[in-house]
Amino acid sequence: MEFARASSVFNAMEPIVVSFFEEHILPNYPLKCSCEKCTTDIIVLTLNHLKPQYTSTQAGQAYIKALYMNPQMQSDILQELARSVQTVESKPQHQPHE
């Protein structure tokens, strides 16, 4: 059985993590480096440590987003983002002048 790439499979955690990063981390935590590489690394590292929530429909995406209105789930995302910020800031993947 071959998975058809025509179907759009989407990790609904991506926009949730990006939103939390933009709304909670950027305004409240002065990053050592806020270049595109470091911010992308923070988001990717966070996503790699959270359980993916795949869906193929907008209704599924809305359902998953509603699940993450739970304060404990929001706290889990923020904790993982904070860990990722610390990791990326301690070992950035670019040269200081980039």
Side-chain angles (χ1 to χ4, degrees):
M1 177 176 176
E2 188 174 321
F3 184 74
R5 287 304 298 166
S7 66
S8 64
V9 176
F10 179 73
N11 181 1
M13 291 303 295
E14 289 181 32
I16 293 170
V17 168
V18 169
S19 174
F20 273 60
F21 180 72
E22 291 173 346
E23 293 174 16
H24 299 283
I25 301 298
L26 288 179
N28 300 309
Y29 184 84
L31 299 174
K32 288 182 182 177
C33 179
S34 58
C35 75
E36 186 176 344
K37 173 73 173 137
C38 286
T39 56
T40 300
D41 285 351
I42 291 166
I43 291 167
V44 168
L45 186 59
T46 301
L47 287 166
N48 282 335
H49 286 101
L50 293 171
K51 181 181 176 196
Q53 299 290 335
Y54 289 103
T55 183
S56 62
T57 65
Q58 287 185 335
Q61 186 177 352
Y63 175 77
I64 292 164
K65 188 174 181 180
L67 287 177
Y68 281 86
M69 298 309 275
N70 175 305
Q72 181 59 54
M73 291 184 159
Q74 291 180 0
S75 176
D76 293 346
I77 293 171
L78 290 172
Q79 286 176 352
E80 204 55 59
L81 273 166
R83 282 188 205 106
S84 297
V85 167
Q86 290 175 341
T87 300
V88 171
E89 286 189 339
S90 68
K91 298 178 183 174
Q93 299 298 305
H94 62 81
Q95 298 300 319
H97 63 279
E98 285 185 46

